[in-house]
Amino acid sequence: GYEDPIELLNFIRQYINHDKLYKQALHKKIMMLYESMNWSEPTDSSKTIERFFLILRKQISLESQLVLI
């Protein structure tokens, strides 16, 4: 608030992780929306893309080993 003591404001600035609180609250709100709409949970596209390229690299590696044989 506007009338909070400076010591309290300094404590909040030092020990409260605003980004973490925001992300947690945002995630909860998004999940509540998906649940209310009876939608499945959203997919983390970065993990999906990462998994795709990992599989692709393994496939390329296997193919290159076969060519060498």
Side-chain angles (χ1 to χ4, degrees), residues 14-61:
Q14 184 174 358
Y15 294 107
I16 303 299
N17 185 337
H18 297 283
D19 291 333
K20 183 177 179 181
L21 287 172
Y22 178 79
K23 287 177 185 175
Q24 287 176 341
L26 181 61
H27 181 262
K28 182 178 179 180
K29 297 288 183 191
I30 290 172
M31 296 313 296
M32 287 171 54
L33 171 68
Y34 273 75
E35 186 177 309
S36 68
M37 301 296 288
N38 292 322
W39 294 346
S40 61
E41 292 187 20
T43 303
D44 185 346
S45 62
S46 68
K47 289 182 181 175
T48 303
I49 294 295
E50 288 172 12
R51 191 173 67 224
F52 169 77
F53 283 112
L54 177 64
I55 292 169
L56 184 62
R57 277 191 299 247
K58 287 180 180 178
Q59 182 66 31
I60 291 171
S61 176

